[in-house]
Amino acid sequence: MGVENGANFRKIEETEEVAESSGVEQEVTPEQVEEGNKVVLESLGISEEIKLDDFEGTLIEATKALPRYQKIEQSLEVVEAQDLPYEIFKLLQSKADTEELDPDAPQDGVLIKSMQSGHLECAGRTLIASTYLQSHNIEHTTIQAPGHTFLIIEQAGDTLVYFDANDNLYFTFPKQALEGYQDIKTMAECKIQEYTPRESDFLDGTSTVFDHFVVMPAQEGRGRVYLGNVAAALNGNEEFTTSGIEKNKDLIPAVNEIEASIYGENAVLNSFRDRMEELKHIEEEKNENDKALRSKFIQQSPNPTEEQFINHFLYNLDNYNYLGKRIPFIKNAKDEQKVAFAQKLWESVKEKYSSNSQS
């Protein structure tokens, strides 16, 4: 029906599948590692041939040098620490992108040298937000979802923040609702369970959630995701065609080797990556279900009024358990909160209903 999700399923964890596709484990030579090192440096906008001994530190400095990062830093100079997460979300969310970008500039939005031109996607927004939050000692984790990445931030007491700037979604929820979660230092596979919003909980956005993901220590997560994107560029994924990284699948194992040398192997993450295509398919099915509900509503009410839309939304929310999992932040909320959410959702989708009724 009307629930929208702006997630684009970026293949940021393609490396495991590509390296294993031949059925033979590929031995990585020192020369290949050196070539992989050069590609990582190239993606960071570093042309000189140096040894990447401090990848994490180099990534932090390169991120802080980005124009968007510096603009955010200047805008938030006088903001109190407790207000920083939401304020950076407002500045970094995709609907806050007002600058007209060069259409010929790199469009991947996740590699540093591409992000310098201004275009950002999920991993790019996450990289900037996480780097900024870490510099202000705000505890959080980097999230690896199926084809997507965002943040979970810890607040005082038992509150977590779901921070997805690319999908314009920010909400707080009880820590107990995140099954599998331990703390910001522990890699864990987690699922958001149904919960009842508290009086103190806050919501900004109407997108659907990713309810199944891996939480990673923030700095490690940033590094793993970034190197995964370098490998995806070497794989020749479509979103990297304008990024200036030449397709070279033979170097993917070398980038994997670089990642392993920095972070080691992790059984939780490896298991999740091994199931990535299956998990992406599940997310795509959820999106298809969203579209099917919306199409059914259009057929029944090709030119709906706001009241018809709200009533239809509330009916589906109460009668389809699947929809409650897509928007757990409102499923068990008070009636007046559900209506207010439906009104916001209507404002965000009414033009689409109008255009569909005319087509």
Side-chain angles (χ1 to χ4, degrees), residues 300-319:
Q300 294 171 344
S301 305
N303 192 17
T305 64
E306 179 177 0
E307 182 179 5
Q308 286 175 320
F309 175 87
I310 291 173
N311 289 338
H312 183 77
F313 172 80
L314 296 177
Y315 173 82
N316 282 284
L317 188 63
D318 290 338
N319 289 279

Side-chain angles (χ1 to χ4, degrees), residues 103-120:
D104 296 324
Q107 295 296 301
D108 64 81
V110 297
L111 300 178
I112 289 291
K113 76 170 188 176
S114 302
M115 294 163 65
Q116 288 171 346
S117 65
H119 188 81
L120 300 179

Side-chain angles (χ1 to χ4, degrees), residues 158-160 173-180 191 193 195 198:
D158 65 344
T159 296
L160 297 176
F173 65 105
K175 187 181 294 185
Q176 294 87 341
L178 188 53
E179 179 185 300
K191 292 183 179 181
Q193 301 299 316
Y195 67 93
R198 305 158 297 181

Side-chain angles (χ1 to χ4, degrees), residues 4 26 31 333 358:
E4 301 299 310
Q26 301 179 41
E31 291 77 17
Q358 295 170 9

Side-chain angles (χ1 to χ4, degrees), residues 99-108 114 117-119 239 241-243:
E99 185 179 347
E100 188 171 341
L101 303 179
D102 182 356
D104 296 324
Q107 295 296 301
D108 64 81
S114 302
S117 65
H119 188 81
E239 60 267 36
T241 54
T242 59
S243 304

